[in-house]
Amino acid sequence: MIISSLECGSLSIPFKHAFTHASASRAATQSLLVRAQSADGSVGFGEGCPREYVTGESVRTATRFVAAHRSEWVAALHDIQAIADWNFAHRLRVDMNPAAWAAVELALIDLCGRVEGQSAEALLGLAPLHGNFCYTAVLGDMPLREFELQLAQYQSMGFHEFKIKLSGDFLRDVEKLRVLTRAGVSPQAVRADANNLWSDWKSALHHLAALYYPFFAVEEPLRSGDYAGMRRLALALDTRMVLDESLNRVDQLGCLDGSDVHWIANIRVSKMGGLLRSLEFIEAARRRGLSVIVGAHVGETSVLTRAALTVAAQASDILLGQEGAFGTHLLSSDLVEHPIMFGRCGVLDVTSSCLGSRPGFGLSVIQPVLHLGPAEG
């Protein structure tokens, strides 16, 4: 495969309604889109979601990273092995720019698959993508009436698992939990995401214990990387901790003290630095007996949703939940002709869509909506 061009640009698609949590409020996508083209005219696309509060990246820094390495990639990354080798040889650079590299890597994997006439799974030596994938309903930190309406909408679609965003405002959080209880939702079907609300475990314990609600798990209640505090909190509440911002790389697994029964890893392809590193993390988690959730950034398009399906398929034996696949449930438009979206009961059937048998990631991208330029440099 000879790469003739590698372009990147920011992607901003308005949401149908704003989404809020403790770290940010968002009304449009904040993504980097990469378009790779081969000499034979084949085109591959990749997406990354730079987040300052997750990996320290912005769209601007991600664009600069692509600009700094664009010529090197065009000259050297001619097949999947070369992509994997660059990823391994430059781990520290990817550690600092995971969303940017994720967008590039996905575009190149997609392009390789299209040039070679193979699906992404076949290209990577994985089993074909098939079957159903079941997604969790995600409820943002919104006014109570909106919360009630959105919960009712999810329940009318048949959802049974929920993730709610905590605000840190005790009365506000209590009212949302009362709504869940009145709606007949079991606490063991609810995960809470605090988005690093509290600075110490005792403050978090005071709030969470006072809610008197036995969540199945609590995600990132403390500052990123406070593993000891989160472990103490898990023991005090007799619950499990979902690590998201605190767990971006395989080497961070060594920071987890105590039994892995307390921990659940949230794997988001963009945050992890791409598909290859996400798959590597799955293998490391499996060796430790660690359960995982395959998550998503708010506002991901079908490009990242498709890559996450590959990860979820490989994690099926240790998978506790899957998030994302909102498509035009949330976005005013998607990048593809047929958005990858959950349906009734949160289920996505990939067998009927034939996604797993098409070259690359199998998406038909609507190129006219893209506003890309050569990487800055």
Side-chain angles (χ1 to χ4, degrees), residues 243-249 252-253 265-266 271-272 281:
L243 300 178
D244 185 3
E245 291 86 356
S246 297
L247 206 54
N248 301 339
R249 308 184 306 273
Q252 290 173 318
L253 287 171
N266 187 333
K271 175 197 75 166
M272 305 304 293
F281 191 94

Side-chain angles (χ1 to χ4, degrees), residues 354-365:
C354 300
L355 274 175
S357 61
R358 298 173 187 161
F361 288 118
L363 301 174
S364 297
V365 175

Side-chain angles (χ1 to χ4, degrees), residues 57-118:
E57 296 171 279
S58 66
V59 172
R60 187 174 183 82
T61 64
T63 301
R64 287 177 175 173
F65 176 74
V66 176
H69 299 285
R70 174 179 176 273
S71 297
E72 177 187 358
W73 294 331
V74 169
L77 303 188
H78 298 315
D79 55 36
I80 194 66
Q81 187 60 54
I83 297 167
D85 289 345
W86 197 96
N87 176 56
F88 181 80
H90 300 87
R91 294 186 77 86
L92 294 180
R93 293 185 190 179
V94 177
D95 288 348
M96 299 298 293
N97 303 275
W101 170 246
V104 173
E105 180 207 73
L106 294 180
L108 294 176
I109 290 174
D110 189 28
L111 181 61
C112 279
R114 292 175 186 274
V115 170
E116 297 186 21
Q118 293 184 297

Side-chain angles (χ1 to χ4, degrees), residues 24 59 61 73 98 114 148 173 195 199 219 223 231 269 311 327 341:
V59 172
T61 64
W73 294 331
R114 292 175 186 274
E148 291 175 320
D173 289 340
N195 288 102
S199 59
E219 184 168 333
R223 287 176 295 190
R231 181 172 181 271
V269 173
V311 179
M341 300 162 57

